[in-house]
């Protein structure tokens, strides 16, 4: 993997051959994944030599970035304008930084603000969080996605409290906590404890790539290590946290991926990419860093069966808490680990309605001990729609059906047959379901059910008598 660098003196001279990043003998090898335009910029340059910031550049960049940040930083709830040396204040700040940085991974700032405020109101210190259950944490996290982050936060809090209750001050010690890697450890250590360590995220990579005109693939492991070295050069020893936040803030608000505001950038005079773009119309600042090839998403298909248990005489009475829904807990490992959802079956590709129905019927019998052909009265069973939910690496298509059952002996009768060795599940009424912290996809399913029932179920509908046999489709 290689880096590309243009000369800064106008007009730019023809690109000279230079050694590659890995210091092999082939200086003309092309950068994998680069567009034709990006390849034409120039050959590679050794990042540890030519691309490193000089001492004067480093000092000037620090001053420019900190001066800009002091005036232009966004007022966010996890940021404090003053730094207090008291241990308790630093611990409180470290906890806030930890929570905010984990939430901000793969999530927009405006979305995180409300979640952060609710979180800190419920668990204001790491000690409060350590006493929470995973279910409570997942409910608070619902809608943010990437639920492993929440689980790691809880596990980390429990570990810290069990070992004395003090968040480590050094990045090297922070990395020993579950879920804390180089980025989060650097953020906590520099912002809360003023340790002079760098922080590198997508925003920092973009800023540095443009400052030094680095057109190598930022996903490459060797290139990432080089970015960390460059970021480490810039860290201010007196205000490391503010410098790191300045770089991230600049990337988020000014040096953006598609529409950078170069005219208002405090470090534009140091930007090699901007200099190149001014003297070469075929090159744009946004060519840096190179856009990596996106990994193709896996396509999955799932049949979701919303099981509603009715003990009322009419469906219209369900708003009196006489109607309950079955929720199933997902496995403790894997996608959406430990979260609650409606009974679902992963399908082998796209299938017809009959195949999906047979799959959910089998799931209910084998996992929940509900044999609808023998012991339950089917009031309604109907396909109500489908939708696609996108995860980072999965495109999941969900087929949703509503199954309404009238119980023979009420909801309590259902629990008599509950087998603790099978899937973990529970019944909740509609009021509880509406207030639960559900994942985005589960919430979509429930909203589909509510809309369907509003349009399709007449207020005077009376359940049929218990069926001794059902059609094959049921």
């Amino acid at each position: 993997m290689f880096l590309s660098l243009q000369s800064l003196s106008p007009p730019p001279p023809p690109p000279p051959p230079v050694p590659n990043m890995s210091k092999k003998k082939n200086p003309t090898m092309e950068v994998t994944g680069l567009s034709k335009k990006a390849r034409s910029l120039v050959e590679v340059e050794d990042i540890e030599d030519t691309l490193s910031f000089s001492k004067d550049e480093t000092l000037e960049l620090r001053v420019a970035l900190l001066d800009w940040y002091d005036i232009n930083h966004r007022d966010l709830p996890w940021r404090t304008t003053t730094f207090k040396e008291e241990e308790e204040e630093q611990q409180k700040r470290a906890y806030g930084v930890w929570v905010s940085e984990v939430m901000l991974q793969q999530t927009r700032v405006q979305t995180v603000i409300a979640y952060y405020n609710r979180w800190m109101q419920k668990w204001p210190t790491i000690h409060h969080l350590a006493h929470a259950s995973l279910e409570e944490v997942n409910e608070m996290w619902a809608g943010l996605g990437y639920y492993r982050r929440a689980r790691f936060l809880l596990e980390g809090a429990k570990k810290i409290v069990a070992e004395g209750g003090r968040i480590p001050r050094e990045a090297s010690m922070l990395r020993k906590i579950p879920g804390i890697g180089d980025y989060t450890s650097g953020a906590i250590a520099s912002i809360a404890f003023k340790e002079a360590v760098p922080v590198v995220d997508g925003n920092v990579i973009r800023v540095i790539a443009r400052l030094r005109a680095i057109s190598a693939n930022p996903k490459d492991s060797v290139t990432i290590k080089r970015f960390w070295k460059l970021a480490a050069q810039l860290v201010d020893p007196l205000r490391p946290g503010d410098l790191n936040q300045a770089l991230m803030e600049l990337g988020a608000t000014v040096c953006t991926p598609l529409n950078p505001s170069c005219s208002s950038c405090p470090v534009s005079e140091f930007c090699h990419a901007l200099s190149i773009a001014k003297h070469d119309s075929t090159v744009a600042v946004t060519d840096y860093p190179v856009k990596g090839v996106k990994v193709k998403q896996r396509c999955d298909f799932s049949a979701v069966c919303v099981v509603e248990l009715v003990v009322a005489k009419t469906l219209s009475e369900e708003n009196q808490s006489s109607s309950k829904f079955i929720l199933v807990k997902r496995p403790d490992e894997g996608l959406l680990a430990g979260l609650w959802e409606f009974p679902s079956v992963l399908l082998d590709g796209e299938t017809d309605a009959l195949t999906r129905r047979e799959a959910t019927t089998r799931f209910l019998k084998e996992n929940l001990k509900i044999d609808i052909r023998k012991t339950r009265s089917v009031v309604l069973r109907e396909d109500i729609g489908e939708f696609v939910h996108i995860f980072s690496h999965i495109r999941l298509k969900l087929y949703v059906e509503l199954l309404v059952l009238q119980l023979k002996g009420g909801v309590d009768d259902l629990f008599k047959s509950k087998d603790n060795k099978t899937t973990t599940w529970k019944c909740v009424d509609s009021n509880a379901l509406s207030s639960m912290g559900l994942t985005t996809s589960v919430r979509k399913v429930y909203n589909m059910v509510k809309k369907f029932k509003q349009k399709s179920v007449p207020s005077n509908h009376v359940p049929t008598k218990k069926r001794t046999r059902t059609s094959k489709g049921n």
Side-chain angles (χ1 to χ4, degrees):
M1 188 56 58
F2 308 100
L3 301 180
S4 297
L5 179 68
Q6 279 280 17
S7 169
L8 299 180
S9 58
V18 290
N20 64 51
M21 267 181 58
S22 59
K23 300 184 181 180
K24 294 180 180 178
K25 294 183 179 180
N26 182 5
T28 60
M29 188 179 296
E30 293 179 338
V31 180
T32 304
L34 289 180
S35 65
K36 184 176 180 181
K37 180 200 282 188
R39 287 195 196 104
S40 69
L41 293 178
V42 78
E43 299 288 339
V44 294
E45 194 79 46
D46 191 309
I47 191 170
E48 294 184 0
D49 298 331
T50 307
L51 296 183
S52 294
F53 296 104
S54 69
K55 183 177 180 180
D56 288 342
E57 276 183 310
T58 299
L59 295 175
E60 291 180 42
L61 281 166
R62 288 174 182 170
V63 171
L65 286 166
L66 289 171
D67 286 348
W68 173 84
Y69 180 74
D70 288 341
I71 298 172
N72 297 281
H73 70 268
R74 289 171 292 180
D75 185 15
L76 300 173
W78 48 85
R79 285 180 176 163
T80 57
T81 56
T82 58
F83 187 91
K84 298 180 180 180
E85 297 291 346
E86 292 84 356
E87 173 68 14
E88 290 305 318
E89 284 297 323
Q90 291 182 348
Q91 286 290 319
K92 183 178 178 180
R93 190 178 193 191
Y95 173 62
V97 171
W98 184 15
V99 173
S100 67
E101 290 298 342
V102 173
M103 286 185 173
L104 286 165
Q105 294 169 21
Q106 309 294 327
T107 310
R108 295 172 62 86
V109 169
Q110 291 306 314
T111 300
V112 167
I113 291 174
Y115 279 90
Y116 177 85
N117 288 333
R118 288 196 297 269
W119 181 286
M120 297 304 287
Q121 184 176 9
K122 187 173 181 65
W123 300 301
T125 69
I126 194 171
H127 297 274
H128 291 89
L129 177 59
H131 289 91
S133 67
L134 179 58
E135 187 166 344
E136 287 178 307
V137 169
N138 282 336
E139 286 198 6
M140 180 67 72
W141 199 270
L144 272 179
Y146 300 92
Y147 289 85
R148 285 185 63 197
R149 297 179 296 172
R151 192 178 80 225
F152 280 139
L153 259 176
L154 178 59
E155 290 177 1
K158 290 181 180 295
K159 176 180 173 64
I160 289 172
V161 170
E163 295 176 356
R166 315 304 290 178
I167 298 174
R169 302 175 63 88
E170 297 83 22
S172 59
M173 298 302 294
L174 284 161
R175 284 193 290 271
K176 297 180 180 181
I177 299 171
I180 294 185
D182 292 337
Y183 168 80
T184 307
S185 64
I188 297 171
S190 64
I191 297 172
F193 300 117
K194 300 183 73 171
E195 183 183 11
V197 291
V199 169
V200 174
D201 67 351
N203 290 317
V204 175
I205 286 175
R206 186 165 56 257
V207 170
I208 293 178
R210 290 171 180 175
L211 282 173
R212 309 313 290 171
I214 301 171
S215 61
N217 186 346
K219 301 292 185 182
D220 176 70
S221 59
V222 174
T223 308
I224 291 173
K225 290 179 181 179
R226 308 301 195 198
F227 277 117
W228 277 92
K229 289 183 178 180
L230 287 170
Q233 283 188 273
L234 295 177
V235 175
D236 186 87
L238 298 179
R239 298 178 61 188
D242 288 341
L243 194 287
N244 285 333
Q245 290 181 95
L247 281 171
M248 292 188 285
E249 190 83 341
L250 187 67
T253 62
V254 176
C255 193
T256 57
L258 301 179
N259 298 296
S261 179
C262 298
S263 61
S264 60
C265 178
V267 293
S268 59
E269 63 180 290
F270 304 96
C271 184
H272 290 202
L274 179 60
S275 179
I276 293 169
K278 285 180 177 179
H279 299 101
D280 188 342
S281 60
T282 68
V283 178
V285 171
T286 52
D287 290 336
Y288 303 91
V290 67
K291 281 72 176 175
V293 179
K294 290 186 177 181
V295 178
K296 187 176 180 180
Q297 289 178 322
R298 187 179 82 221
C299 293
D300 284 352
F301 303 87
S302 177
V304 181
C305 184
V306 180
V307 181
E308 183 178 11
L309 307 174
V310 178
V311 294
K313 293 181 180 180
T314 67
L315 290 180
S316 62
E317 294 176 4
E318 66 190 73
N319 59 0
Q320 301 174 8
S321 297
S322 58
S323 173
K324 295 186 181 294
F325 294 87
I326 291 179
L327 292 179
V328 175
K329 191 174 185 181
R330 292 183 62 86
D332 291 332
E333 298 294 334
L335 185 68
L336 304 177
L339 299 177
W340 293 96
E341 65 180 6
F342 295 109
S344 304
V345 180
L346 200 60
L347 304 168
D348 295 327
E350 287 196 86
T351 57
D352 57 42
L354 178 59
T355 303
R356 296 197 300 269
R357 186 162 292 192
E358 289 175 341
T360 53
T361 297
R362 188 164 52 253
F363 176 87
L364 294 176
K365 181 178 180 181
E366 295 177 356
N367 294 276
L368 306 183
K369 306 305 179 186
I370 298 177
D371 189 344
I372 61 176
R373 291 189 174 94
K374 293 182 179 180
T375 61
R376 307 288 183 260
S377 178
V378 177
V379 176
L380 175 74
R381 189 172 195 180
E382 189 167 338
D383 294 320
I384 63 174
E386 60 189 55
F387 67 93
V388 174
H389 186 73
I390 303 297
F391 296 92
S392 59
H393 58 296
I394 300 173
R395 183 182 186 275
L396 179 63
K397 187 172 185 179
L398 299 98
Y399 301 92
V400 183
E401 68 168 329
L402 173 62
L403 172 62
V404 182
L405 302 176
Q406 186 172 30
L407 300 181
K408 181 179 180 180
V411 174
D412 292 339
D413 182 60
L414 184 65
F415 281 90
K416 292 178 182 178
S417 62
K418 191 172 181 180
D419 186 346
N420 292 330
K421 295 181 181 179
T422 60
T423 304
T424 301
W425 57 280
K426 65 181 179 180
C427 291
V428 298
D429 61 38
S430 55
N431 292 332
L433 191 60
S434 296
S435 61
M436 280 182 65
L438 302 173
T439 66
T440 303
S441 59
V442 175
R443 180 67 62 188
K444 285 181 181 178
V445 170
Y446 185 51
N447 287 337
M448 287 179 68
V449 170
K450 290 193 294 185
K451 289 180 180 179
F452 170 80
K453 292 170 70 175
Q454 289 171 357
K455 294 179 180 179
S456 306
V457 180
S459 60
N460 61 350
H461 182 92
V462 179
T464 59
K465 293 182 179 180
K466 180 177 181 298
R467 300 177 183 176
T468 56
R469 292 192 306 171
T470 60
S471 63
K472 186 176 181 180
N474 289 332

